[in-house]
Amino acid sequence: MLAKVLLALSLVPALALALCQPDGQDAYNVRLSIKTALGANAYEWSESEQFLFRATLAFAMRQYTGQETFNVSSVIVCDETPRVSFWFVVTNPSNTATLIPKNTVEAAIRLSRNRINSAFLLSDKTLQFLGIPPTLAPPSQPSLPVWLIVFGVVMGLVTVGILALIISGFIERKKKEKTIEDEDEEEKQERIMENDISCQTLEGKNGVNNGAYTHDEDRLTQL
Amino acid sequence: MVEESRPSWENPMQFVLACVSYAVGLGNVWRFPYLCQMHGGGGFLIPYLIMLVVEGLPLFYLELAIGQHMRQGSIGAWSAINPYMGGVGIASVVVSIFLVVYYNVINAWAFWYLFHSFQGTLPWAECPLSSNFTTYVPECEKSSSTDYFWYRETLNISSSIEDHGGIQMGQALCLVLSWMVVYLCVLRGTESTGKVVYFTATFPYLVMIIYLIRGVTLHGALNGLKYMFTPKLSDLAEPKAWIDAATQILFSLGLGCGSLIAFASYNHHNNNFEKQAIVVSLINSATSIFASVVTFSIYGFKATFNYESCLDRTLQSFWIFLKRVMSAGSLQFNIDSYFSIQNTVQTEWTVFNTFFLKMQLLLINTFDLAEDSIKRDNLDDWISHLNASFPDKFATISSQIEVCDLESELDTAVEGTGLAFIVYSEAIKNMGLSQLWSVLYFSMLLMLGIGSMLGNVAAIITPLRDFAFLTRHFQKETLIGMMCLFCCLVGLSFTTRSGNYWFTIFNDYAATFSLLFIVLIEIITVCYVYGLKKFEKDIEVMIGHRPHWYWKIVWSVISPVLIIGLFIFYIADYIMGGTPTYQAWDSNLGKTVTKEHPPFAQAVIGLLLVTSMMCVPLAALVTFIKKKKEQARERKISTTAS
């Protein structure tokens, strides 16, 4: 099995040499960090793994384009390094001399990224397609923004407070007016004003201290 | 006819707390630390304290005396001092109206941030993702997540002042809430205000103490404190330092707005306001200094955090480690021997380990080596081998080192809303339990802002309620409610997309120059029109002794000269400054750019200055005309009678 694959692979380079170029216009660089991802359970990168890669990529192209003509042979790999990084291109199944444009390849990979990662037990960070950014996890959004809830609570409290103060002030005023209506002339005399200060307020205290005539510090309002 | 006696504070403590709550505001937190940093750190305290004693304290004393003696709001008080000077009171009311309209927007922002603090991760801690979930939003990436949250998600700011945009719903809702809170606090007059100030005056101190304790224990706080408090006395030779100290004292104490007159008018006639004036002014200045300590420890933490993140990202940590060990003199560049000191020098080891992992990854990726090829014991050999074999490729990665500089991180001096909402929120997101700190901080901002609002609203309401005409036809609650509604509606214009630019205009021009003018007229009126001797006697009646000769000298000579000097400076600065400019946010670049104000904005600036100042001569003119008419009428009556 392995020998057959190796044979097939050995035929490919002759044709693919011209098509697969590092830094080519339609080529992508792939980098795998297997040891970083799996540590002790890391598998060795071999030709079979390479075959699996090409197969998953062909699968991705099939999924995206809907054409079931893509095959393992459509994916050409070159410039492999011990880092486990290599370049690949995808040839057009109907015309093997031409390449599938970069955008299409990118879209196909993004569509099936999860499946490709899973095939190798890796993630977006450890199976890097240089030039295709990984999709980031969106933050969770609650249905109703939290701030509106807090706002509603505070607004409600303030409204209740305002209404309470207005209504109590209104009631107090009505009560005061009633007592003034009820009182007769005698009581009115008692409520006379002296210099804008109701005499009633003066009665409660021992008069008003005029500081000009006392030098006693204690009589002055303390801080 | 039911005559209501003038309401009064339940006890002198309420009056003092009301003054403290009014004077201690956002300026103490976001303007004073900036000035300290700009003018030589600890050395700035010298002009600041001198100005406090020579300008702030005497003027504060003066306003309290006037209010307590006249027992009326600013319009009535100044009309009583001299019938032609009623315009000073009207000017104070106009300035206060401008002030409340734009100041409450800050409370709206504080509410917005406060409500957004009740989330698992603070919304300004991370950038949101773009629509295809591959990258972050470009505007956020170019600036920072805190900048983005402020400029885009809070303000949704447009690119220039001409571009109005619509009213932002979130901002508008928060503004309405702010006005409702203010209404709740003032609608019963001193009865409600007096109780609220117990809380608004004390809560900020509680939060500042908590922040102080947390702040000085933060990693890197000492860097900020050292940076700020190192006095650079050479900066004091610059006149700008003294001018800034003088204006800061004036505006920080809230002189000229009529709020102090309003508050003092509710005092008992013999309240000892002299002692209270000294106490409140000293508390105000002490709070500024206290707030700077807190701000600079937070600054230091943020700067150190950014600096160390920079070091982490680059290979610079290695070079610093290398320098440190090489300067110890003993070892040559031999990585093996560094492993032998692993147990003894733990922090250096962590630094080196981080470097090693980075270096390993960088070399493996650049030269496509197998993952486990570079180990600690052969890193040395690899570096020399690669440097020798592929010098060009090696050169590309050594140029990756970005320069990390702690000084430049600390140098980003910020004031105003930028400090409060961007710098602080950036520091908070990196503290542990950031939601708690965020809630505490924005509640404190809210208390400071509302406390100052109460004073400014009182400055408007008290003179209005002195007008018998208004009191007869409108209940207290209705009058105050209408005023709050009017200001709220006008304030909604600050919640549009260009609202922040208008806010900055009001912040810079509405209550600066005009207040200087008002204070100057006030002091000249009291000393020279009303007469210093008469004023002395009034004070003696109230507190039992005449003011010390020091106060008299300052009132009659030193303060007016100082304020005239400030006046001249402002005018000169304006003339020489050319077209006024503003900082506009460019969403493509992710930072602010300087733009010139268009003509209509400049017209608004002019209007702001003129409307308040013109009240003084206009009111004098109106009084003059009225008096002339009365005299003419009396002459007619006397001639017809005879």
Side-chain angles (χ1 to χ4, degrees):
Chain A
M1 180 65 207
L2 198 65
K4 281 196 192 145
V5 168
L6 283 170
L7 197 66
L9 279 174
S10 61
L11 289 173
V12 166
L15 297 159
L17 209 56
L19 290 170
C20 178
Q21 299 278 4
D23 293 321
Q25 196 195 12
D26 292 317
Y28 268 107
N29 192 5
V30 185
R31 186 191 287 158
L32 291 97
S33 312
I34 307 171
K35 294 200 179 67
T36 314
L38 302 169
N41 300 327
Y43 49 82
E44 280 300 315
W45 188 255
S46 63
E47 293 297 336
S48 307
E49 302 284 352
Q50 188 66 277
F51 178 78
L52 179 59
F53 179 82
R54 291 161 68 216
T56 36
L57 217 58
F59 162 77
M61 292 306 301
R62 285 193 183 195
Q63 290 288 85
Y64 180 70
T65 57
Q67 294 170 278
E68 297 200 348
T69 47
F70 283 96
N71 231 317
V72 179
S73 48
S74 316
V75 183
I76 307 170
V77 167
C78 56
D79 198 34
E80 203 175 322
T81 67
R83 168 71 179 85
V84 194
S85 80
F86 48 85
W87 289 83
F88 74 90
V89 291
V90 184
T91 57
N92 197 334
S94 42
N95 182 359
T96 47
T98 57
L99 298 176
I100 302 286
K102 202 163 187 174
N103 298 335
T104 320
V105 177
E106 172 170 349
I109 291 172
R110 296 204 42 208
L111 184 67
S112 309
R113 187 65 184 262
N114 221 14
R115 300 292 296 274
I116 302 174
N117 288 348
S118 314
F120 291 93
L121 308 174
L122 298 171
S123 68
D124 277 2
K125 275 210 180 117
T126 41
L127 172 55
Q128 290 168 292
F129 288 88
L130 298 184
I132 303 179
T135 41
L136 302 159
S140 62
Q141 290 275 18
S143 51
L144 184 66
V146 179
W147 81 269
L148 267 180
I149 299 172
V150 188
F151 170 81
V153 168
V154 176
M155 178 68 105
L157 286 172
V158 172
T159 317
V160 165
I162 290 176
L163 287 174
L165 282 182
I166 290 180
I167 292 173
S168 69
F170 190 66
I171 293 174
E172 255 179 54
R173 244 198 311 273
K174 275 271 168 331
K175 239 192 263 172
K176 221 198 276 179
E177 277 179 26
K178 209 154 177 276
T179 52
I180 288 169
E181 275 174 24
D182 288 345
E183 71 185 7
D184 48 33
E185 192 56 43
E186 238 179 80
E187 289 177 346
K188 209 170 191 167
Q189 280 296 324
E190 284 177 8
R191 268 194 328 101
I192 49 171
M193 293 291 169
E194 186 72 37
N195 289 338
D196 258 343
I197 303 170
S198 164
C199 286
Q200 277 183 332
T201 61
L202 290 177
E203 262 167 39
K205 310 170 192 146
N206 298 322
V208 178
N209 282 311
N210 192 331
Y213 298 101
T214 57
H215 295 284
D216 193 352
E217 272 296 305
D218 284 332
R219 293 299 185 93
L220 296 175
T221 359
Q222 294 298 319
L223 179 60
Chain B
M1 182 66 213
V2 178
E3 283 268 5
E4 266 183 39
S5 57
R6 189 176 186 78
S8 63
W9 303 106
E10 278 171 31
N11 55 60
M13 184 54 107
Q14 281 189 358
F15 168 64
V16 171
L17 285 177
C19 289
V20 167
S21 183
Y22 166 65
V24 172
L26 295 165
N28 300 67
V29 169
W30 75 31
R31 175 91 177 136
F32 182 79
Y34 169 77
L35 289 178
C36 252
Q37 191 179 9
M38 290 270 92
H39 297 300
F44 182 69
L45 288 176
I46 296 175
Y48 183 72
L49 291 172
I50 290 177
M51 288 299 166
L52 170 68
V53 172
V54 154
E55 184 199 349
L57 253 172
L59 290 171
F60 199 83
Y61 185 151
L62 189 96
E63 289 209 3
L64 289 189
I66 292 171
Q68 191 166 307
H69 180 68
M70 301 299 172
R71 297 178 63 83
Q72 289 182 84
S74 51
I75 300 180
W78 289 105
S79 306
I81 285 181
N82 187 301
Y84 292 102
M85 298 316 277
V88 177
I90 300 176
S92 291
V93 172
V94 170
V95 170
S96 292
I97 292 178
F98 289 149
L99 210 71
V100 297
V101 163
Y102 86 82
Y103 201 82
N104 221 8
V105 180
I106 304 174
N107 290 328
W109 293 329
F111 266 124
W112 172 268
Y113 270 79
L114 178 65
F115 294 152
H116 277 83
S117 309
F118 291 97
Q119 286 182 3
T121 37
L122 295 174
W124 56 85
E126 291 173 339
C127 271
L129 299 175
S130 61
S131 50
N132 58 1
F133 292 137
T134 52
T135 55
Y136 298 110
V137 171
E139 187 180 352
C140 192
E141 272 194 303
K142 291 209 186 87
S143 54
S144 72
S145 51
T146 41
D147 276 339
Y148 180 79
F149 185 75
W150 169 246
Y151 285 109
R152 189 55 48 214
E153 298 199 23
T154 306
L155 301 174
N156 196 11
I157 205 164
S158 59
S159 53
S160 75
I161 200 171
E162 290 109 342
D163 192 356
H164 295 300
I167 290 183
Q168 298 307 299
M169 257 304 122
Q171 296 305 299
L173 285 174
C174 289
L175 183 66
V176 168
L177 178 64
S178 306
W179 274 110
M180 286 176 69
V181 170
V182 168
Y183 182 55
L184 178 66
C185 297
V186 296
L187 82 96
R188 281 288 196 90
T190 52
E191 190 187 320
S192 51
T193 312
K195 299 217 173 50
V196 170
V197 294
Y198 279 117
F199 190 63
T200 57
T202 51
F203 182 75
Y205 287 101
L206 184 66
V207 175
M208 276 198 268
I209 290 173
I210 295 175
Y211 256 92
L212 181 71
I213 296 172
R214 181 68 185 108
V216 296
T217 55
L218 283 172
H219 172 62
L222 281 169
N223 291 333
L225 288 173
K226 245 190 293 176
Y227 184 79
M228 179 196 142
F229 281 111
T230 327
K232 304 176 207 60
L233 289 170
S234 55
D235 282 356
L236 291 186
E238 261 182 74
K240 191 85 173 39
W242 295 85
I243 290 165
D244 277 341
T247 47
Q248 173 63 12
I249 278 290
L250 213 64
F251 301 142
S252 177
L253 287 172
L255 301 164
C257 292
S259 315
L260 297 169
I261 296 179
F263 280 155
S265 70
Y266 298 118
N267 279 340
H268 284 294
H269 201 236
N270 299 116
N271 180 47
N272 187 357
F273 62 89
E274 186 178 38
K275 222 199 291 185
Q276 291 166 342
I278 297 173
V279 165
V280 173
S281 310
L282 287 177
I283 289 179
N284 181 53
S285 296
T287 310
S288 292
I289 298 171
F290 184 40
S292 323
V293 173
V294 177
T295 302
F296 273 89
S297 35
I298 303 275
Y299 247 167
F301 162 70
K302 175 189 98 77
T304 310
F305 185 88
N306 289 343
Y307 171 66
E308 289 181 352
S309 306
C310 179
L311 287 183
D312 269 350
R313 281 195 307 272
T314 70
L315 302 178
Q316 218 175 342
S317 48
F318 170 69
W319 303 118
I320 291 174
F321 168 64
L322 200 63
K323 263 190 273 180
R324 232 184 299 162
V325 179
M326 297 281 260
S327 66
S330 48
L331 304 162
Q332 277 188 310
F333 181 49
N334 183 340
I335 292 182
D336 281 332
S337 52
Y338 291 153
F339 291 88
S340 64
I341 60 174
Q342 171 186 355
N343 293 322
T344 47
V345 192
Q346 198 55 37
T347 42
E348 264 87 9
W349 171 250
T350 325
V351 166
F352 180 72
N353 202 35
T354 321
F355 160 73
F356 167 75
L357 291 170
K358 285 215 176 62
M359 202 60 172
Q360 182 193 41
L361 194 63
L362 190 61
L363 290 175
I364 284 173
N365 284 349
T366 314
F367 296 99
D368 279 325
L369 311 165
E371 271 179 282
D372 51 358
S373 55
I374 297 186
K375 296 194 179 41
R376 293 208 171 89
D377 50 1
N378 58 16
L379 176 63
D380 201 5
D381 303 324
W382 271 109
I383 291 176
S384 28
H385 162 71
L386 292 168
N387 199 5
S389 328
F390 309 99
D392 302 317
K393 217 166 184 182
F394 201 84
T396 59
I397 53 170
S398 60
S399 65
Q400 263 184 35
I401 298 174
E402 61 181 273
V403 178
C404 303
D405 185 16
L406 184 62
E407 275 282 319
S408 65
E409 289 281 345
L410 286 169
D411 255 339
T412 53
V414 193
E415 58 161 339
T417 52
L419 172 62
F421 294 105
I422 299 179
V423 171
Y424 255 93
S425 49
E426 190 181 325
I428 287 172
K429 80 171 198 242
N430 295 323
M431 290 160 125
L433 283 181
S434 34
Q435 290 89 342
L436 172 69
W437 295 108
S438 182
V439 168
L440 270 180
Y441 173 67
F442 290 110
S443 312
M444 180 192 80
L445 280 192
L446 212 53
M447 290 301 120
L448 289 173
I450 290 181
S452 301
M453 277 296 288
L454 296 180
N456 290 312
V457 169
I460 303 172
I461 298 286
T462 310
L464 284 183
R465 286 192 40 81
D466 289 338
F467 282 123
F469 163 75
L470 285 171
T471 321
R472 242 191 314 233
H473 287 104
F474 296 108
Q475 293 296 344
K476 179 168 58 176
E477 289 89 348
T478 325
L479 191 63
I480 300 177
M482 288 200 304
M483 191 220 84
C484 288
L485 185 65
F486 170 73
C487 292
C488 183
L489 289 174
V490 176
L492 283 177
S493 57
F494 292 111
T495 59
T496 57
R497 292 193 60 196
S498 59
N500 195 42
Y501 302 130
W502 291 106
F503 171 84
T504 315
I505 286 182
F506 270 69
N507 194 28
D508 290 339
Y509 298 104
T512 48
F513 192 71
S514 330
L515 279 181
L516 274 180
F517 178 74
I518 291 172
V519 170
L520 183 64
I521 304 284
E522 278 186 9
I523 206 168
I524 290 177
T525 308
V526 168
C527 291
Y528 299 108
V529 176
Y530 185 67
L532 201 53
K533 286 222 167 11
K534 212 166 156 201
F535 189 58
E536 269 186 285
K537 280 209 193 86
D538 292 336
I539 293 180
E540 194 181 13
V541 169
M542 284 195 284
I543 61 174
H545 61 264
R546 290 183 178 234
H548 196 258
W549 57 260
Y550 169 75
W551 300 118
K552 289 192 277 187
I553 290 188
V554 174
W555 286 330
S556 44
V557 178
I558 301 181
S559 288
V561 165
L562 254 176
I563 297 175
I564 290 175
L566 289 177
F567 219 66
I568 294 173
F569 164 77
Y570 259 85
I571 296 175
D573 195 54
Y574 183 73
I575 293 173
M576 291 202 292
T579 329
T581 58
Y582 66 104
Q583 296 296 309
W585 176 257
D586 188 326
S587 52
N588 297 320
L589 293 175
K591 60 187 181 92
T592 52
V593 292
T594 314
K595 285 196 180 156
E596 274 188 4
H597 273 305
F600 66 87
Q602 293 184 41
V604 169
I605 294 175
L607 261 176
L608 282 175
L609 296 170
V610 161
T611 31
S612 49
M613 296 199 289
M614 285 311 279
C615 293
V616 179
L618 272 178
L621 194 66
V622 166
T623 319
F624 184 69
I625 293 174
K626 257 200 240 170
K627 279 228 150 80
K628 272 268 148 53
K629 278 207 193 131
E630 261 184 48
Q631 278 176 6
R633 216 186 320 140
E634 273 169 23
R635 242 180 279 134
K636 225 196 262 177
I637 292 171
S638 57
T639 50
T640 52
S642 63

